[in-house]
Amino acid sequence: MNRREALRRVAWLMGGTLTAGTLSAVLYSCHRQPEEVTDHFTDTHKQTLTSLADIILPRTDTPGALDAGVPDFVVMMINECYPNDQQKKFLEGLNAFNDQCRQTYGEDFASCSPDQQKQHLSAVEKQVFGSTDASQNHASDALPYFYRTAKELILLGYFTSEPGATKDLVYVPVPGKYEGCIPLKPGQHAWAM
Amino acid sequence: MYVNTEAIKQNTYDAIVVGSGISGGWAAKELTEKGLKTLLLERGRNIRHVVDYTTATKAPWEFKHRGRLTNEMRRTHPVQSRDYPYSEFNPDFWVNDLENPYIETKRFDWFRGYHVGGRSLMWGRQSYRWSDLDFEANLRDGIGVDWPIRYKDIAPWYDYVESFAGISGNRDGLPQLPDGKFLPPMEMNCVEKVVAQRINEKFKNTPCRMIIGRCANLTVPHNGRSNCQYRNLCSRGCPYGAYFSTQSATLPAAMATGNLTLRPYSIVTEVMYDKDKRRATGVRVLDAETLQTYEFYARIIFLNASTLGTTWILLHSTSDAFPNGLGNSSGQVGHNLMDHHFRCGASGEMEGFEDQYYFGRRANGIYIPRFRNLGKEKRDYIRGFGYQGSASRQGWSRGIAEMGFGAEFKEEISRPGQWVMGLGGFGETLPYYENKVTLDYSKKDKWGLPVLNIDCEFRENEKKMREDMMNDAAEMLEAAGCKNVKTFDAGSWPGMAIHEMGTARMGRDPKTSVLNAYNQMHDVKNVFITDGACMTSSACQNPSLTYMALTARAADYAVKELKKGNI
């Protein structure tokens, strides 16, 4: 390779990488300017989700949903990742969840006693996961949709959070090897991811 | 005049390679190592090895949406969003569909990455040889055209590319899936071992065998690259260079020769043709950033822009000599589009291994090579399918659809759950002339260029095959002792398997095919096509290893022909 050619190669390469950086910076700012995200949740909604997350995954000898910021995560995910119709359905279901609670216990879910909350949750779980007599529910399918989605996001938010993945599950970022068959130790928790 | 000649000289190379993915990277490596000054053109941005893998070492909680798609991502990537490969874990590796539109006369999921390395960065890495079962299939069945090569022609080139790329696998001695030059195999886990043993025993009078997957992940250090660290985060780019990609393997080799010039942001709009010399003279490039056009010249041109990218270039390279696209005297360019059909199989639970677990995240699964329509068997469809799969213990996500909450529930789902074993088929698709792409000037992309119109569908043979794909999987799992075996068919659309191929096929007759036995255009002797466009049939194995072997073989032939003065 002669000198002239060497220079030419370098020029191309530099040109490539330099323009790559500058252009992607421009593109990045165009494409990734934060979209208008509306927060669809009222304080009551958020309080309900906080109580729900806490009761589903409480702090024990390992951290709980609240330690992992799960309620904010659920709100953020619904606001940013779910299309309008599903956001609407989720909120409708959340309202129904609270309405049912008020009818039975005279209080919002967040204001109920822990025992009342557990009873309400058991009733809702029976409605959602239980037998097929769901037709007699006064709520439409919004309540099951809400509850299944909320439970999914609460579990996702917790087990992929730093406290959930590292203090409850066992997070090994770089295993370095694969062993296909090893004994499970008594009480051993699952690998994260 | 002086300036003009000087400019031409400046832009003249021995060879031009269009596209820097799996096959383009190989073409660049082979041509530069044989001493050719080579220009490697890539339409997208540069991605530097390791330093530009921006998400590769992030922990799960460092992704705001934990990998899931946002509404905004779905808006800008409506096609890429259709399946799992596009996610928050590697969003910059996939094209913006709004800037790169195409027309779907019928649904076709076109997953693309426009950057140096192409889909070699995100590929599934499963690497299987074809056999004469595949190369003889079209002739035997009277389908499409006969492959102009047989296994013996490509076998040494499989050896060659495997030795460089690093393919881990076991020598299983199966005639329908020839063994290769393997690095040590990965290990099956407890349940896979038992399932394999039982399947291989119960079906011993059939060709059905379960083996460990063969993949382009290094199980030992190889050619200066580290071995796999079992993170299973390959599709973000590997900081260890432990799987084969352009960046980890072929590009550094090509660079080391001193013969390579890499030019990102170079959209090839046309191959220029000299009808008197009956040779391509070079390519015309639109700079994706500056929008300036350039001409580059070379004695040999390799088109490796991906199956549909290469087809677009051919169709867009019209001239008096080739009004229907470069090298398209056969009229076959754009036709015979294939992909594999998949997302169909079965899964079941395995009891009795509750005290067993595994360590590490193996970036590979098991494989059951094709076993249908071998020998004398005749199903109500032709060809066949293979299964990929794995066994694992369920994680916390099993708690989503279960009743339960509170401390006990949390403790229960924090522990490894039931063992589950799944098998998913990948089926061969026949080359139908009617499955085609055309250029459509009614729509333009971000650069004002016409787009592809894709008209492709699976037909009767594929539909019939899917019944076996589903039921055979269930039968095998049951024979292996799995409980609660459930079948699934999640629906498969062309393109979704990201194995699109066939639109500039190889063949023996210039009247019915585009390329000869060396991937050389019948009509234009100095143009070679070695990406998926060249494929004459689809077999059911993952195709990339075959693209690598065909590329190395074609480059060898091209340089010999060049030296003989034939091109």
Side-chain angles (χ1 to χ4, degrees):
Chain A
M1 181 164 44
N2 63 32
R3 187 183 139 72
R4 183 191 183 84
E5 204 164 0
L7 281 172
R8 186 164 58 124
R9 283 186 65 225
V10 170
W12 277 132
L13 288 171
M14 292 294 285
T17 42
L18 283 180
T19 45
T22 44
L23 185 87
S24 59
V26 173
L27 281 176
Y28 203 85
S29 56
C30 292
H31 293 169
R32 305 297 175 86
Q33 56 188 293
E35 73 229 67
E36 289 289 315
V37 176
T38 313
D39 184 0
H40 301 277
F41 291 77
T42 64
D43 286 350
T44 308
H45 288 144
K46 288 177 186 175
Q47 284 155 10
T48 307
L49 285 172
T50 301
S51 301
L52 183 62
D54 189 31
I55 204 166
I56 290 179
L57 298 174
R59 183 191 292 179
T60 53
D61 54 345
T62 58
L66 300 192
D67 299 309
V70 166
D72 287 344
F73 174 78
V74 174
V75 168
M76 182 278 293
M77 288 295 283
I78 295 291
N79 283 334
E80 297 187 15
C81 297
Y82 287 71
N84 281 338
D85 54 333
Q86 290 177 32
Q87 288 171 345
K88 228 178 118 192
K89 197 166 171 181
F90 184 88
L91 290 166
E92 257 177 57
L94 175 49
N95 289 336
F97 178 86
N98 236 340
D99 289 347
Q100 270 192 28
C101 185
R102 261 196 308 274
Q103 278 167 19
T104 314
Y105 303 103
E107 299 269 15
D108 279 348
F109 184 71
S111 309
C112 285
S113 73
D115 278 350
Q116 288 171 330
Q117 288 178 337
K118 281 177 195 164
Q119 280 172 35
H120 181 53
L121 212 50
S122 295
V124 169
E125 288 222 326
K126 271 191 199 116
Q127 257 174 266
V128 173
F129 299 120
S131 55
T132 49
D133 60 345
S135 54
Q136 62 181 32
N137 296 340
H138 54 86
S140 62
D141 60 346
L143 176 58
Y145 174 78
F146 154 74
Y147 190 74
R148 285 171 182 278
T149 306
K151 194 164 184 183
E152 177 186 347
L153 291 176
I154 288 166
L155 265 55
L156 174 71
Y158 174 71
F159 286 111
T160 59
S161 71
E162 187 164 11
T166 63
K167 298 206 168 74
D168 195 336
L169 303 178
V170 187
Y171 178 59
V172 185
V174 186
K177 61 178 178 178
Y178 180 74
E179 292 176 309
C181 215
I182 55 172
L184 183 73
K185 297 185 191 102
Q188 184 180 341
H189 281 195
W191 310 120
M193 297 171 30
Chain B
M1 279 310 287
Y2 170 78
V3 174
N4 201 15
T5 347
E6 190 61 18
I8 287 175
K9 207 171 139 194
Q10 285 247 341
N11 285 356
T12 298
Y13 296 81
D14 297 327
I16 292 172
V17 177
V18 181
S20 63
I22 286 182
S23 68
W26 266 102
K29 169 184 171 317
E30 294 304 300
L31 296 170
T32 54
E33 287 183 344
K34 291 173 194 300
L36 271 58
K37 300 289 179 195
T38 302
L39 175 65
L40 176 57
L41 295 169
E42 164 53 50
R43 66 171 293 153
R45 70 191 171 112
N46 192 21
I47 292 181
R48 291 165 300 168
H49 189 39
V50 185
V51 288
D52 287 336
Y53 304 153
T54 54
T55 60
T57 56
K58 282 190 176 177
W61 52 88
E62 294 179 85
F63 296 89
K64 185 179 178 192
H65 307 91
R66 308 290 160 83
R68 296 213 177 168
L69 297 177
T70 63
N71 292 332
E72 179 62 9
M73 289 170 81
R74 279 193 210 92
R75 188 185 69 77
T76 53
H77 296 67
V79 174
Q80 310 306 305
S81 296
R82 290 177 189 174
D83 202 13
Y84 72 90
Y86 171 65
S87 79
E88 195 187 22
F89 296 129
N90 65 357
D92 297 336
F93 286 180
W94 302 95
V95 296
N96 178 312
D97 292 312
L98 304 182
E99 295 175 355
N100 299 280
Y102 60 101
I103 295 169
E104 295 172 273
T105 292
K106 298 191 181 79
R107 174 171 170 181
F108 185 96
D109 297 353
W110 190 9
F111 293 95
R112 292 171 279 172
Y114 286 165
H115 48 249
V116 171
R119 289 178 291 190
S120 80
L121 286 175
M122 310 90 92
W123 70 306
R125 307 168 313 286
Q126 293 287 296
S127 300
Y128 300 104
R129 291 188 179 205
W130 289 26
S131 73
D132 275 333
L133 176 72
D134 308 303
F135 290 114
E136 290 172 357
N138 279 2
L139 180 65
R140 195 171 46 239
D141 298 331
I143 295 283
V145 297
D146 185 21
W147 275 92
I149 58 169
R150 290 295 181 261
Y151 182 66
K152 67 173 170 42
D153 300 311
I154 195 174
W157 296 100
Y158 276 134
D159 287 351
Y160 178 77
V161 296
E162 284 166 349
S163 300
F164 177 77
I167 308 297
S168 75
N170 188 47
R171 296 181 65 83
D172 299 293
L174 304 174
Q176 74 275 38
L177 195 78
D179 291 332
K181 301 274 182 197
F182 297 142
L183 304 180
M186 291 188 184
E187 190 192 351
M188 289 189 195
N189 63 37
C190 320
V191 165
E192 290 164 347
K193 279 176 192 164
V194 166
V195 169
Q197 199 179 42
R198 291 175 184 169
I199 286 179
N200 298 348
E201 172 61 26
K202 295 218 168 136
F203 297 95
K204 69 177 174 212
N205 296 324
T206 79
C208 180
R209 295 291 177 276
M210 177 167 143
I211 62 174
I212 187 69
R214 300 170 179 175
C215 68
N217 288 68
L218 305 180
T219 46
V220 290
H222 185 69
N223 289 344
R225 293 159 48 206
S226 307
N227 57 295
C228 182
Q229 299 298 301
Y230 300 95
R231 307 178 327 130
N232 197 21
L233 303 177
C234 313
S235 61
R236 303 179 190 178
C238 184
Y240 304 92
Y243 71 86
F244 173 89
S245 67
T246 296
Q247 274 85 343
S248 72
T250 47
L251 187 59
M255 281 291 180
T257 64
N259 291 327
L260 186 77
T261 304
L262 169 64
R263 191 181 198 282
Y265 290 119
S266 302
I267 302 174
V268 171
T269 55
E270 191 181 332
V271 176
M272 299 176 293
Y273 181 70
D274 182 330
K275 72 176 174 193
D276 297 326
K277 293 183 182 153
R278 299 177 65 198
R279 294 284 184 273
T281 54
V283 298
R284 196 161 281 136
V285 162
L286 172 65
D287 187 297
E289 287 188 294
T290 65
L291 306 184
Q292 288 190 27
T293 55
Y294 299 88
E295 289 180 356
F296 295 101
Y297 310 92
R299 297 164 72 190
I300 298 179
I301 295 167
F302 267 67
L303 294 181
N304 300 87
S306 84
T307 295
L308 295 179
T310 290
T311 305
W312 184 95
I313 292 170
L314 294 177
L315 293 173
H316 199 247
S317 302
T318 52
S319 59
D320 291 345
F322 293 110
N324 300 316
L326 186 80
N328 192 17
S329 66
S330 66
Q332 294 292 329
V333 171
H335 291 270
N336 314 301
L337 177 59
M338 299 171 278
D339 183 23
H340 291 136
H341 58 101
F342 70 135
R343 307 214 315 163
C344 179
S347 64
E349 296 170 357
M350 184 66 98
E351 291 168 358
F353 298 85
E354 286 71 21
D355 56 352
Q356 300 291 310
Y357 205 18
Y358 39 78
F359 177 80
R361 297 181 291 279
R362 188 188 59 196
N364 187 22
I366 58 88
Y367 192 62
I368 297 178
R370 181 175 151 188
F371 54 94
R372 284 297 189 190
N373 291 323
L374 303 189
K376 291 197 175 119
E377 187 188 45
K378 281 210 187 331
R379 308 294 296 171
D380 63 347
Y381 55 90
I382 59 171
R383 315 292 168 92
F385 53 89
Y387 288 117
Q388 295 180 24
S390 63
S392 60
R393 296 195 72 157
Q394 289 180 313
W396 54 263
S397 62
R398 69 186 184 277
I400 294 170
E402 275 175 13
M403 280 214 222
F405 56 85
E408 257 178 60
F409 170 76
K410 181 179 155 216
E411 174 63 19
E412 204 280 317
I413 62 170
S414 298
R415 296 188 180 188
Q418 182 71 250
W419 280 94
V420 288
M421 172 88 206
L423 295 175
F426 278 76
E428 176 158 2
T429 298
L430 298 178
Y432 305 98
Y433 180 80
E434 298 74 23
N435 281 349
K436 65 178 192 292
V437 298
T438 48
L439 265 196
D440 198 318
Y441 286 83
S442 71
K443 195 167 196 169
K444 299 283 169 67
D445 68 11
K446 183 187 170 187
W447 295 272
L449 298 166
V451 304
L452 285 180
N453 183 326
I454 308 180
D455 181 358
C456 180
E457 65 182 341
F458 294 129
R459 294 166 197 263
E460 281 314 300
N461 198 64
E462 293 77 42
K463 286 172 190 160
K464 284 180 183 158
M465 190 188 296
R466 292 178 78 77
E467 290 175 30
D468 268 2
M469 259 163 91
M470 195 161 79
N471 296 329
D472 290 352
E475 193 184 331
M476 279 181 215
L477 292 178
E478 272 163 8
C482 289
K483 302 276 190 287
N484 291 325
V485 173
K486 293 194 176 84
T487 57
F488 65 90
D489 182 346
S492 186
W493 286 266
M496 209 172 198
I498 325 188
H499 294 163
E500 69 273 14
M501 55 178 118
T503 43
R505 70 187 176 193
M506 295 167 74
R508 298 169 190 274
D509 185 351
K511 290 196 188 69
T512 56
S513 61
V514 182
L515 308 171
N516 69 13
Y518 291 97
N519 299 71
Q520 181 181 30
M521 291 197 101
H522 289 301
D523 292 343
V524 191
K525 297 293 181 201
N526 63 337
V527 175
F528 293 79
I529 297 175
T530 65
D531 60 22
C534 76
M535 302 297 273
T536 311
S537 69
S538 76
C540 64
Q541 298 92 317
N542 307 54
S544 297
L545 183 72
T546 299
Y547 303 165
M548 296 188 208
L550 288 172
T551 303
R553 181 171 176 271
D556 182 66
Y557 175 81
V559 174
K560 281 180 181 154
E561 287 293 287
L562 190 69
K563 287 187 177 154
K564 283 185 204 158
N566 291 342
I567 52 177

